[in-house]
Amino acid sequence: MQLEENNIVDQFGRVHDYLRISLTERCNLRCFYCMPEEGIALRPKAEFMNTDEVIRMAETFVSLGVKKIRITGGEPLVRSDAKQILEKLSKLPVELAITTNGILIDKFFYTIKTSGIRSINVSLDSLDKEKFNSITRRNDFDKVISNINLLLDENYHVKVNAVVIKGVNENEIVNFVQWTSDKNIHVRFIEFMPFDGNKWDFSKVVSMDAILSKVRERFGEKVTRISDRKNDTSKNYSIAGFKGTFAIISSVTNPFCDTCNRLRLTADGKIKNCLFSDSETDLLSAMRRGEDIVPLIRKSVWNKKEKLGGITSFENLEKRKNRAMISIGG
Ligand code: SF4
């Protein structure tokens, strides 16, 4: 394997072949742990990648060995040219995936189908309608659930991402797992992570161990550890006899950086070599000046920290410059 030529490698030998592209900082929900209470300043459209720039960026990363592209946001499907972007990206030799809050899936169903997307992550932090409304500050619970059922009826691989926050929804962990009994759904519990404006505090984190012990308390011996895929961010489990599975993404208490293959491109065209990195490289301005962005990509990745963007401890997390989750896209 020619490591140098068409691979993006960091100084720890990790090959980066999975790109997450945030299409927008806009969203049709207002989840309190993602969108700061005061919202985020809406910036001029010109500061963001236009349709062609998204595709040119993607083509460049594919030429450097990227094999999977995940579309994120904000909420990617609120972008007016989301349909064109999905159609154009589907022409690239990559596995295409999307993370969405699920509200607009029915409106984009034909595009999702024809663009070859088979795996969809839907963000849903509560199975309780009232609580959903209080978390998202919107009233779209029924829509999200009916769109999840639409995907299941069409045999899509549906992952449900639930951010678990102490005092908010940890009392629903068992309900989410029970949901997998007769639904071929993959629930992923995500440990609450610190981003600008989300009032994160280590005491609000429900750890992987705490999540597992709640599940074991209810399902006992039936809890089975199942194999993780290469580069998986989650630790996977199932309940014997259940149709679906559940998993835990434990960035805070049990990080998984040694196999990290992920890069992020923000909607304003900056590369983040790690979810927690406090530095970014502006690819869009360079591209608009007609410069070659490949050396910038290589340099950014080479300088990637070994783990957690250089965070040494979440318990005594010093103030760090990062973005709000809404403008990273997870
Ligand atoms: S924290 Fe950074 S290095 Fe670790 S898995 Fe996430 S993106 Fe990769």
Side-chain angles (χ1 to χ4, degrees):
M1 177 166 65
Q2 299 160 284
L3 266 185
E4 291 321 308
E5 270 316 302
N6 53 17
N7 283 101
I8 323 173
V9 186
D10 66 23
Q11 57 194 300
F12 307 100
R14 294 172 295 196
V15 175
H16 293 73
D17 56 9
Y18 177 8
L19 177 67
R20 301 171 67 101
I21 304 179
S22 166
L23 289 190
T24 179
E25 296 183 347
R26 293 170 185 261
C27 187
N28 46 3
L29 288 180
R30 292 284 177 276
C31 304
F32 74 82
Y33 60 81
C34 178
M35 169 81 85
E37 191 109 30
E38 65 284 4
I40 59 167
L42 291 180
R43 295 150 52 196
K45 206 169 174 189
E47 291 187 19
F48 297 97
M49 295 183 288
N50 63 30
T51 315
D52 291 340
E53 288 166 339
V54 171
I55 305 308
R56 284 171 59 198
M57 289 277 189
E59 287 166 344
T60 304
F61 279 93
V62 170
S63 73
L64 294 170
V66 161
K67 294 181 179 53
K68 179 175 179 180
I69 292 179
R70 176 173 297 282
I71 296 301
T72 68
E75 169 50 41
L77 300 179
V78 300
R79 200 177 144 146
S80 59
D81 57 352
K83 183 171 178 296
Q84 291 96 311
I85 289 176
L86 287 175
E87 285 164 355
K88 289 178 183 230
L89 288 176
S90 71
K91 308 273 182 306
L92 298 177
V94 289
E95 178 194 345
L96 199 51
I98 189 167
T99 296
T100 167
N101 61 28
I103 296 169
L104 297 172
I105 285 175
D106 54 324
K107 297 220 172 18
F108 281 81
F109 192 70
Y110 180 75
T111 304
I112 289 171
K113 201 165 190 165
T114 50
S115 55
I117 293 176
R118 293 304 306 158
S119 173
I120 297 187
N121 290 22
V122 180
S123 308
L124 178 69
D125 306 308
S126 178
L127 293 173
D128 173 280
K129 191 170 180 170
E130 293 320 309
K131 195 181 298 169
F132 174 95
N133 294 357
S134 70
I135 291 172
T136 64
R137 298 178 271 201
R138 292 292 183 274
N139 178 15
D140 298 290
F141 180 76
D142 296 337
K143 188 73 184 170
V144 174
I145 294 294
S146 78
N147 277 338
I148 288 174
N149 290 330
L150 165 68
L151 292 171
L152 291 172
D153 294 346
E154 295 281 335
N155 297 318
Y156 273 80
H157 183 77
V158 180
K159 296 181 209 171
V160 168
N161 289 351
V163 176
V164 185
I165 303 174
K166 203 167 281 176
V168 176
N169 58 350
E170 88 261 31
N171 62 348
E172 293 193 61
I173 290 168
V174 168
N175 295 352
F176 270 107
V177 174
Q178 188 61 49
W179 194 27
T180 69
S181 62
D182 59 354
K183 295 244 185 238
N184 186 16
I185 210 162
H186 309 280
V187 171
R188 300 164 4 128
F189 299 113
I190 302 177
E191 289 183 344
F192 184 32
M193 294 176 273
F195 295 104
D196 274 21
N198 73 355
K199 300 193 176 61
W200 181 88
D201 183 289
F202 189 74
S203 66
K204 296 177 186 167
V205 173
V206 181
S207 70
M208 175 173 87
D209 293 347
I211 293 168
L212 267 178
S213 67
K214 275 188 189 301
V215 178
R216 290 209 164 99
E217 211 176 286
R218 171 66 183 76
F219 299 103
E221 299 299 303
K222 289 184 169 177
V223 180
T224 317
R225 182 81 169 86
I226 52 180
S227 58
D228 305 334
R229 291 178 322 160
K230 182 171 169 282
N231 304 119
D232 230 341
T233 57
S234 58
K235 293 152 185 85
N236 300 291
Y237 300 82
S238 69
I239 307 295
F242 280 22
K243 261 190 171 172
T245 66
F246 74 94
I248 301 162
I249 299 179
S250 55
S251 305
V252 175
T253 65
N254 222 318
F256 34 83
C257 304
D258 50 346
T259 60
C260 184
N261 65 332
R262 291 167 294 283
L263 296 174
R264 288 164 174 86
L265 182 63
T266 60
D268 56 356
K270 298 195 174 66
I271 180 173
K272 273 178 80 71
N273 60 26
C274 165
L275 182 57
F276 297 114
S277 64
D278 53 6
S279 68
E280 304 169 351
T281 303
D282 184 352
L283 301 180
L284 185 58
S285 306
M287 180 191 263
R288 287 178 175 174
R289 288 193 300 268
E291 293 165 18
D292 178 5
I293 61 171
V294 170
L296 296 175
I297 294 171
R298 288 196 185 288
K299 186 161 175 251
S300 163
V301 176
W302 186 256
N303 295 328
K304 178 169 179 162
K305 300 276 187 343
E306 187 167 12
K307 65 178 205 161
L308 300 171
I311 293 175
T312 49
S313 154
F314 278 103
E315 257 151 301
N316 332 310
L317 187 64
E318 287 105 37
K319 188 86 191 84
R320 282 174 68 89
K321 193 167 70 51
N322 199 349
R323 293 175 174 232
M325 173 56 97
I326 186 92
S327 66
I328 301 174

PDB file of all heavy atoms in Angstrom, residues 273-296:
ATOM      1  N   ASN A 273      -8.947  18.227  12.199  1.00  0.00           N
ATOM      2  CA  ASN A 273      -8.359  16.879  12.162  1.00  0.00           C
ATOM      3  C   ASN A 273      -8.879  16.009  13.306  1.00  0.00           C
ATOM      4  O   ASN A 273      -8.623  14.803  13.332  1.00  0.00           O
ATOM      5  CB  ASN A 273      -6.824  16.954  12.183  1.00  0.00           C
ATOM      6  CG  ASN A 273      -6.272  17.645  13.416  1.00  0.00           C
ATOM      7  OD1 ASN A 273      -6.927  17.643  14.467  1.00  0.00           O
ATOM      8  ND2 ASN A 273      -5.113  18.256  13.292  1.00  0.00           N
ATOM      9  N   CYS A 274      -9.612  16.637  14.243  1.00  0.00           N
ATOM     10  CA  CYS A 274     -10.203  15.872  15.360  1.00  0.00           C
ATOM     11  C   CYS A 274     -11.420  16.631  15.879  1.00  0.00           C
ATOM     12  O   CYS A 274     -11.454  17.861  15.814  1.00  0.00           O
ATOM     13  CB  CYS A 274      -9.172  15.725  16.477  1.00  0.00           C
ATOM     14  SG  CYS A 274      -9.887  15.198  18.056  1.00  0.00           S
ATOM     15  N   LEU A 275     -12.394  15.878  16.386  1.00  0.00           N
ATOM     16  CA  LEU A 275     -13.624  16.485  16.904  1.00  0.00           C
ATOM     17  C   LEU A 275     -13.306  17.533  17.970  1.00  0.00           C
ATOM     18  O   LEU A 275     -13.961  18.556  18.071  1.00  0.00           O
ATOM     19  CB  LEU A 275     -14.492  15.375  17.519  1.00  0.00           C
ATOM     20  CG  LEU A 275     -15.852  15.700  18.085  1.00  0.00           C
ATOM     21  CD1 LEU A 275     -16.743  16.360  17.037  1.00  0.00           C
ATOM     22  CD2 LEU A 275     -16.523  14.448  18.635  1.00  0.00           C
ATOM     23  N   PHE A 276     -12.263  17.282  18.752  1.00  0.00           N
ATOM     24  CA  PHE A 276     -11.916  18.175  19.868  1.00  0.00           C
ATOM     25  C   PHE A 276     -10.746  19.096  19.549  1.00  0.00           C
ATOM     26  O   PHE A 276     -10.269  19.816  20.416  1.00  0.00           O
ATOM     27  CB  PHE A 276     -11.610  17.356  21.116  1.00  0.00           C
ATOM     28  CG  PHE A 276     -12.774  16.553  21.625  1.00  0.00           C
ATOM     29  CD1 PHE A 276     -12.740  15.171  21.604  1.00  0.00           C
ATOM     30  CD2 PHE A 276     -13.914  17.183  22.095  1.00  0.00           C
ATOM     31  CE1 PHE A 276     -13.821  14.416  22.058  1.00  0.00           C
ATOM     32  CE2 PHE A 276     -14.999  16.449  22.558  1.00  0.00           C
ATOM     33  CZ  PHE A 276     -14.950  15.069  22.519  1.00  0.00           C
ATOM     34  N   SER A 277     -10.273  19.063  18.294  1.00  0.00           N
ATOM     35  CA  SER A 277      -9.091  19.900  18.011  1.00  0.00           C
ATOM     36  C   SER A 277      -9.450  21.375  18.189  1.00  0.00           C
ATOM     37  O   SER A 277     -10.552  21.802  17.860  1.00  0.00           O
ATOM     38  CB  SER A 277      -8.587  19.639  16.596  1.00  0.00           C
ATOM     39  OG  SER A 277      -9.577  20.042  15.666  1.00  0.00           O
ATOM     40  N   ASP A 278      -8.505  22.114  18.744  1.00  0.00           N
ATOM     41  CA  ASP A 278      -8.769  23.559  18.916  1.00  0.00           C
ATOM     42  C   ASP A 278      -8.113  24.347  17.784  1.00  0.00           C
ATOM     43  O   ASP A 278      -7.991  25.560  17.839  1.00  0.00           O
ATOM     44  CB  ASP A 278      -8.271  24.035  20.289  1.00  0.00           C
ATOM     45  CG  ASP A 278      -6.819  23.652  20.518  1.00  0.00           C
ATOM     46  OD1 ASP A 278      -6.210  23.130  19.562  1.00  0.00           O
ATOM     47  OD2 ASP A 278      -6.314  23.849  21.635  1.00  0.00           O
ATOM     48  N   SER A 279      -7.674  23.641  16.751  1.00  0.00           N
ATOM     49  CA  SER A 279      -7.131  24.347  15.584  1.00  0.00           C
ATOM     50  C   SER A 279      -7.806  23.828  14.318  1.00  0.00           C
ATOM     51  O   SER A 279      -8.265  22.681  14.280  1.00  0.00           O
ATOM     52  CB  SER A 279      -5.625  24.092  15.485  1.00  0.00           C
ATOM     53  OG  SER A 279      -5.426  22.726  15.153  1.00  0.00           O
ATOM     54  N   GLU A 280      -7.919  24.686  13.322  1.00  0.00           N
ATOM     55  CA  GLU A 280      -8.550  24.328  12.046  1.00  0.00           C
ATOM     56  C   GLU A 280      -7.704  24.912  10.913  1.00  0.00           C
ATOM     57  O   GLU A 280      -6.926  25.833  11.147  1.00  0.00           O
ATOM     58  CB  GLU A 280      -9.952  24.940  11.943  1.00  0.00           C
ATOM     59  CG  GLU A 280     -10.881  24.579  13.068  1.00  0.00           C
ATOM     60  CD  GLU A 280     -12.168  25.404  13.074  1.00  0.00           C
ATOM     61  OE1 GLU A 280     -12.279  26.385  12.308  1.00  0.00           O
ATOM     62  OE2 GLU A 280     -13.057  25.038  13.842  1.00  0.00           O
ATOM     63  N   THR A 281      -7.876  24.358   9.730  1.00  0.00           N
ATOM     64  CA  THR A 281      -7.180  24.909   8.568  1.00  0.00           C
ATOM     65  C   THR A 281      -8.211  25.308   7.519  1.00  0.00           C
ATOM     66  O   THR A 281      -9.091  24.506   7.191  1.00  0.00           O
ATOM     67  CB  THR A 281      -6.209  23.864   7.983  1.00  0.00           C
ATOM     68  OG1 THR A 281      -5.298  23.465   9.003  1.00  0.00           O
ATOM     69  CG2 THR A 281      -5.447  24.429   6.809  1.00  0.00           C
ATOM     70  N   ASP A 282      -8.110  26.557   7.058  1.00  0.00           N
ATOM     71  CA  ASP A 282      -9.077  27.090   6.096  1.00  0.00           C
ATOM     72  C   ASP A 282      -8.756  26.620   4.682  1.00  0.00           C
ATOM     73  O   ASP A 282      -7.892  27.172   4.003  1.00  0.00           O
ATOM     74  CB  ASP A 282      -9.072  28.627   6.161  1.00  0.00           C
ATOM     75  CG  ASP A 282     -10.131  29.236   5.259  1.00  0.00           C
ATOM     76  OD1 ASP A 282     -10.763  28.490   4.479  1.00  0.00           O
ATOM     77  OD2 ASP A 282     -10.318  30.474   5.326  1.00  0.00           O
ATOM     78  N   LEU A 283      -9.488  25.603   4.215  1.00  0.00           N
ATOM     79  CA  LEU A 283      -9.275  25.083   2.855  1.00  0.00           C
ATOM     80  C   LEU A 283     -10.041  25.925   1.834  1.00  0.00           C
ATOM     81  O   LEU A 283      -9.597  26.118   0.704  1.00  0.00           O
ATOM     82  CB  LEU A 283      -9.745  23.628   2.772  1.00  0.00           C
ATOM     83  CG  LEU A 283      -9.098  22.624   3.709  1.00  0.00           C
ATOM     84  CD1 LEU A 283      -9.699  21.231   3.471  1.00  0.00           C
ATOM     85  CD2 LEU A 283      -7.582  22.592   3.549  1.00  0.00           C
ATOM     86  N   LEU A 284     -11.201  26.433   2.230  1.00  0.00           N
ATOM     87  CA  LEU A 284     -12.074  27.123   1.278  1.00  0.00           C
ATOM     88  C   LEU A 284     -11.431  28.385   0.718  1.00  0.00           C
ATOM     89  O   LEU A 284     -11.408  28.606  -0.501  1.00  0.00           O
ATOM     90  CB  LEU A 284     -13.419  27.466   1.931  1.00  0.00           C
ATOM     91  CG  LEU A 284     -14.466  28.085   1.020  1.00  0.00           C
ATOM     92  CD1 LEU A 284     -14.780  27.178  -0.169  1.00  0.00           C
ATOM     93  CD2 LEU A 284     -15.741  28.415   1.799  1.00  0.00           C
ATOM     94  N   SER A 285     -10.860  29.202   1.593  1.00  0.00           N
ATOM     95  CA  SER A 285     -10.226  30.442   1.102  1.00  0.00           C
ATOM     96  C   SER A 285      -9.093  30.101   0.146  1.00  0.00           C
ATOM     97  O   SER A 285      -8.939  30.729  -0.909  1.00  0.00           O
ATOM     98  CB  SER A 285      -9.701  31.266   2.276  1.00  0.00           C
ATOM     99  OG  SER A 285     -10.752  31.492   3.202  1.00  0.00           O
ATOM    100  N   ALA A 286      -8.314  29.075   0.494  1.00  0.00           N
ATOM    101  CA  ALA A 286      -7.194  28.666  -0.370  1.00  0.00           C
ATOM    102  C   ALA A 286      -7.726  28.184  -1.721  1.00  0.00           C
ATOM    103  O   ALA A 286      -7.218  28.568  -2.777  1.00  0.00           O
ATOM    104  CB  ALA A 286      -6.404  27.548   0.318  1.00  0.00           C
ATOM    105  N   MET A 287      -8.802  27.397  -1.666  1.00  0.00           N
ATOM    106  CA  MET A 287      -9.385  26.887  -2.915  1.00  0.00           C
ATOM    107  C   MET A 287      -9.876  28.055  -3.772  1.00  0.00           C
ATOM    108  O   MET A 287      -9.649  28.103  -4.980  1.00  0.00           O
ATOM    109  CB  MET A 287     -10.543  25.933  -2.608  1.00  0.00           C
ATOM    110  CG  MET A 287     -11.227  25.355  -3.816  1.00  0.00           C
ATOM    111  SD  MET A 287     -12.749  24.506  -3.369  1.00  0.00           S
ATOM    112  CE  MET A 287     -12.160  22.807  -3.302  1.00  0.00           C
ATOM    113  N   ARG A 288     -10.502  29.043  -3.139  1.00  0.00           N
ATOM    114  CA  ARG A 288     -11.016  30.203  -3.867  1.00  0.00           C
ATOM    115  C   ARG A 288      -9.875  31.064  -4.441  1.00  0.00           C
ATOM    116  O   ARG A 288     -10.052  31.734  -5.441  1.00  0.00           O
ATOM    117  CB  ARG A 288     -11.917  31.038  -2.956  1.00  0.00           C
ATOM    118  CG  ARG A 288     -13.259  30.367  -2.691  1.00  0.00           C
ATOM    119  CD  ARG A 288     -14.155  31.143  -1.760  1.00  0.00           C
ATOM    120  NE  ARG A 288     -15.473  30.492  -1.639  1.00  0.00           N
ATOM    121  CZ  ARG A 288     -16.421  30.881  -0.795  1.00  0.00           C
ATOM    122  NH1 ARG A 288     -16.195  31.920   0.032  1.00  0.00           N
ATOM    123  NH2 ARG A 288     -17.588  30.249  -0.754  1.00  0.00           N
ATOM    124  N   ARG A 289      -8.689  30.987  -3.816  1.00  0.00           N
ATOM    125  CA  ARG A 289      -7.524  31.708  -4.364  1.00  0.00           C
ATOM    126  C   ARG A 289      -6.835  30.888  -5.450  1.00  0.00           C
ATOM    127  O   ARG A 289      -5.819  31.284  -6.010  1.00  0.00           O
ATOM    128  CB  ARG A 289      -6.530  31.990  -3.229  1.00  0.00           C
ATOM    129  CG  ARG A 289      -6.955  33.051  -2.217  1.00  0.00           C
ATOM    130  CD  ARG A 289      -5.796  33.485  -1.314  1.00  0.00           C
ATOM    131  NE  ARG A 289      -5.237  32.376  -0.548  1.00  0.00           N
ATOM    132  CZ  ARG A 289      -5.648  32.039   0.686  1.00  0.00           C
ATOM    133  NH1 ARG A 289      -6.649  32.714   1.269  1.00  0.00           N
ATOM    134  NH2 ARG A 289      -5.108  31.008   1.328  1.00  0.00           N
ATOM    135  N   GLY A 290      -7.420  29.683  -5.729  1.00  0.00           N
ATOM    136  CA  GLY A 290      -6.849  28.845  -6.788  1.00  0.00           C
ATOM    137  C   GLY A 290      -5.630  28.054  -6.337  1.00  0.00           C
ATOM    138  O   GLY A 290      -4.886  27.511  -7.159  1.00  0.00           O
ATOM    139  N   GLU A 291      -5.411  27.973  -5.006  1.00  0.00           N
ATOM    140  CA  GLU A 291      -4.245  27.237  -4.506  1.00  0.00           C
ATOM    141  C   GLU A 291      -4.539  25.744  -4.391  1.00  0.00           C
ATOM    142  O   GLU A 291      -5.699  25.339  -4.322  1.00  0.00           O
ATOM    143  CB  GLU A 291      -3.850  27.783  -3.121  1.00  0.00           C
ATOM    144  CG  GLU A 291      -3.331  29.223  -3.144  1.00  0.00           C
ATOM    145  CD  GLU A 291      -3.307  29.840  -1.735  1.00  0.00           C
ATOM    146  OE1 GLU A 291      -3.356  29.063  -0.736  1.00  0.00           O
ATOM    147  OE2 GLU A 291      -3.307  31.086  -1.641  1.00  0.00           O
ATOM    148  N   ASP A 292      -3.491  24.927  -4.367  1.00  0.00           N
ATOM    149  CA  ASP A 292      -3.624  23.481  -4.168  1.00  0.00           C
ATOM    150  C   ASP A 292      -3.884  23.230  -2.683  1.00  0.00           C
ATOM    151  O   ASP A 292      -3.087  23.616  -1.839  1.00  0.00           O
ATOM    152  CB  ASP A 292      -2.326  22.784  -4.609  1.00  0.00           C
ATOM    153  CG  ASP A 292      -2.368  21.275  -4.387  1.00  0.00           C
ATOM    154  OD1 ASP A 292      -3.451  20.772  -3.970  1.00  0.00           O
ATOM    155  OD2 ASP A 292      -1.326  20.615  -4.584  1.00  0.00           O
ATOM    156  N   ILE A 293      -5.009  22.593  -2.346  1.00  0.00           N
ATOM    157  CA  ILE A 293      -5.326  22.399  -0.923  1.00  0.00           C
ATOM    158  C   ILE A 293      -4.744  21.109  -0.358  1.00  0.00           C
ATOM    159  O   ILE A 293      -4.758  20.908   0.859  1.00  0.00           O
ATOM    160  CB  ILE A 293      -6.858  22.435  -0.680  1.00  0.00           C
ATOM    161  CG1 ILE A 293      -7.553  21.307  -1.447  1.00  0.00           C
ATOM    162  CG2 ILE A 293      -7.447  23.793  -0.983  1.00  0.00           C
ATOM    163  CD1 ILE A 293      -9.026  21.152  -1.077  1.00  0.00           C
ATOM    164  N   VAL A 294      -4.189  20.239  -1.219  1.00  0.00           N
ATOM    165  CA  VAL A 294      -3.664  18.948  -0.741  1.00  0.00           C
ATOM    166  C   VAL A 294      -2.571  19.131   0.318  1.00  0.00           C
ATOM    167  O   VAL A 294      -2.645  18.509   1.391  1.00  0.00           O
ATOM    168  CB  VAL A 294      -3.188  18.070  -1.912  1.00  0.00           C
ATOM    169  CG1 VAL A 294      -2.425  16.842  -1.415  1.00  0.00           C
ATOM    170  CG2 VAL A 294      -4.381  17.665  -2.783  1.00  0.00           C
ATOM    171  N   PRO A 295      -1.582  20.003   0.112  1.00  0.00           N
ATOM    172  CA  PRO A 295      -0.557  20.176   1.154  1.00  0.00           C
ATOM    173  C   PRO A 295      -1.156  20.651   2.487  1.00  0.00           C
ATOM    174  O   PRO A 295      -0.710  20.232   3.555  1.00  0.00           O
ATOM    175  CB  PRO A 295       0.368  21.249   0.565  1.00  0.00           C
ATOM    176  CG  PRO A 295       0.117  21.235  -0.900  1.00  0.00           C
ATOM    177  CD  PRO A 295      -1.310  20.830  -1.077  1.00  0.00           C
ATOM    178  N   LEU A 296      -2.218  21.462   2.431  1.00  0.00           N
ATOM    179  CA  LEU A 296      -2.858  21.942   3.658  1.00  0.00           C
ATOM    180  C   LEU A 296      -3.531  20.779   4.390  1.00  0.00           C
ATOM    181  O   LEU A 296      -3.468  20.673   5.614  1.00  0.00           O
ATOM    182  CB  LEU A 296      -3.895  23.007   3.316  1.00  0.00           C
ATOM    183  CG  LEU A 296      -3.391  24.311   2.696  1.00  0.00           C
ATOM    184  CD1 LEU A 296      -4.582  25.196   2.300  1.00  0.00           C
ATOM    185  CD2 LEU A 296      -2.476  25.044   3.675  1.00  0.00           C
TER     186      LEU A 296
END
